[in-house]
């Protein structure tokens, strides 16, 4: 691939802008400045620098964020910050999108990607990728509520029954559940449907991928194995 095209694919701006960066001597590979935009590259294990900052070539990006409270999953956040505020322009230029949504007050594992197929694989209603949530509840969780969640509840304006699996009481007012769909405010509405209320919600896992060891607001690139784990379906 041509150097100018590679830079453009990685989010460094228009083809023209990338040509200019290269001609200005801003780009180097293995400590050698390359000022020819038409320089041909081998993309395998390619590392490069732009203005002294190191980058790795990635055909697509898969990101795990530990989402903090007070961040919305939309670009034009209205009352809160946007999760996209947590990423630099280079990544934003690649058109990364949230894989599904978390409410502004929900914390935990949020995936972002510029791979449309991956996004589709995880969010398509028929794919049923499991999501594990932990929550603090307003009232103690009763055995009856656990049973009802496992049997399934109806949600207003939604078709079908919404059931949870692997429902585990972690403490009197703490619950962990796995859900396999992803309708609007699903977990909060399921808890209301059984007569309780979510006070705090945290997503701990998607597919077989547990939230990596990240502080709130921190993120990392997923490796190939982690990408496969996120897509994992147990049924
Ligand atoms: N269910 C909810 O109610 N909120 C979330 O953020 C995610 C799942």
């Amino acid at each position: 691939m041509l150097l100018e095209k590679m830079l453009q694919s990685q989010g460094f701006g228009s083809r023209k802008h990338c040509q200019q960066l290269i001609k200005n001597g801003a780009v180097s590979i293995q400590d050698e400045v390359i000022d020819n935009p038409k320089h041909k590259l081998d993309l395998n294990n390619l590392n490069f620098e732009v203005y002294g900052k190191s980058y790795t070539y990635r055909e697509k990006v898969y990101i795990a964020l530990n989402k903090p409270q007070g961040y919305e999953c939309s670009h034009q956040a209205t009352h809160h910050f946007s999760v996209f505020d947590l990423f630099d322009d280079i990544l934003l230029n690649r058109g990364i999108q949230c894989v599904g949504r978390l409410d502004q007050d929900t914390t935990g594992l949020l995936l972002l990607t510029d791979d449309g197929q991956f996004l589709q694989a995880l969010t398509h209603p028929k794919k049923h990728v499991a999501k594990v949530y932990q929550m603090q509840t307003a009232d103690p969780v009763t055995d009856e509520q656990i049973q009802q969640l496992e049997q399934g509840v109806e949600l207003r304006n939604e078709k079908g029954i919404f059931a949870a699996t692997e429902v585990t009481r972690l403490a009197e007012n703490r619950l962990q559940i796995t859900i396999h769909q992803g309708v609007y405010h699903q977990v909060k509405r399921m808890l209301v449907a059984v007569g309780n209320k979510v006070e705090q919600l945290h997503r701990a896992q998607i597919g077989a991928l547990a939230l990596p060891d990240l502080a709130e607001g921190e993120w990392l690139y997923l490796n190939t194995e982690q990408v496969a784990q996120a897509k994992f379906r147990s049924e």
Side-chain angles (χ1 to χ4, degrees):
M1 189 185 280
L2 302 182
L3 178 55
E4 59 180 31
K5 193 161 178 222
M6 185 282 289
L7 276 189
Q8 190 185 13
S9 76
Q10 300 300 287
F12 286 87
S14 66
R15 184 71 81 99
K16 223 173 174 175
H17 181 73
C18 292
Q19 283 171 355
Q20 209 50 58
L21 274 177
I22 298 163
K23 284 183 189 160
N24 289 348
V27 183
S28 52
I29 296 175
Q30 290 179 336
D31 293 331
E32 192 189 331
V33 172
I34 303 191
D35 59 7
N36 173 13
K38 308 284 180 208
H39 179 86
K40 278 211 179 108
L41 289 169
D42 176 0
L43 300 175
N44 271 330
N45 301 319
L46 174 65
N47 294 303
F48 59 97
E49 292 189 355
V50 179
Y51 288 123
K53 193 166 173 205
S54 304
Y55 297 90
T56 297
Y57 171 81
R58 293 171 203 277
E59 189 181 347
K60 298 285 178 200
V61 287
Y62 307 90
I63 290 166
L65 167 71
N66 184 358
K67 181 189 162 301
Q69 274 197 344
Y71 283 76
E72 290 180 19
C73 288
S74 55
H75 280 277
Q76 265 89 42
T78 42
H79 300 296
H80 305 93
F81 296 110
S82 160
V83 291
F84 296 100
D85 296 341
L86 298 165
F87 299 95
D88 66 19
D89 285 346
I90 312 276
L91 268 173
L92 298 180
N93 285 342
R94 293 186 64 139
I96 53 170
Q97 296 184 57
C98 294
V99 180
R101 284 177 172 239
L102 289 179
D103 298 335
Q104 66 79 17
D105 54 353
T106 302
T107 58
L109 180 57
L110 178 69
L111 301 179
L112 297 101
T113 187
D114 60 353
D115 179 347
Q117 279 182 357
F118 177 74
L119 193 127
Q120 181 78 359
L122 267 88
T123 55
H124 193 281
K126 292 209 173 114
K127 300 285 182 181
H128 303 299
V129 171
K131 280 149 288 198
V132 180
Y133 289 92
Q134 293 164 348
M135 69 206 81
Q136 189 74 29
T137 57
D139 299 311
V141 180
T142 65
D143 291 345
E144 200 192 338
Q145 287 172 357
I146 292 181
Q147 242 178 37
Q148 281 179 297
L149 288 169
E150 284 171 341
Q151 280 164 4
V153 295
E154 287 183 5
L155 301 177
R156 237 178 86 182
N157 297 330
E158 309 287 355
K159 283 197 195 114
I161 295 284
F162 295 83
T165 56
E166 290 155 81
V167 182
T168 312
R169 195 189 286 115
L170 302 172
E172 213 185 7
N173 286 53
R174 276 189 70 72
L175 189 65
Q176 175 170 304
I177 69 173
T178 300
I179 61 169
H180 301 262
Q181 305 109 318
V183 299
Y184 182 65
H185 285 176
Q186 181 170 334
V187 176
K188 291 175 185 167
R189 289 161 73 196
M190 285 174 75
L191 266 286
V192 169
V194 301
N196 208 323
K197 183 170 185 284
V198 173
E199 296 269 290
Q200 259 179 35
L201 189 59
H202 177 82
R203 183 154 67 192
Q205 190 167 321
I206 296 175
L209 177 72
L211 175 66
D213 187 16
L214 295 166
E216 282 187 17
E218 279 184 356
W219 60 269
L220 51 69
Y221 289 110
L222 297 180
N223 59 33
T224 318
E225 192 186 335
Q226 290 169 314
V227 170
Q229 285 172 349
K231 285 196 280 197
F232 180 77
R233 284 187 285 145
S234 50
E235 57 307 19

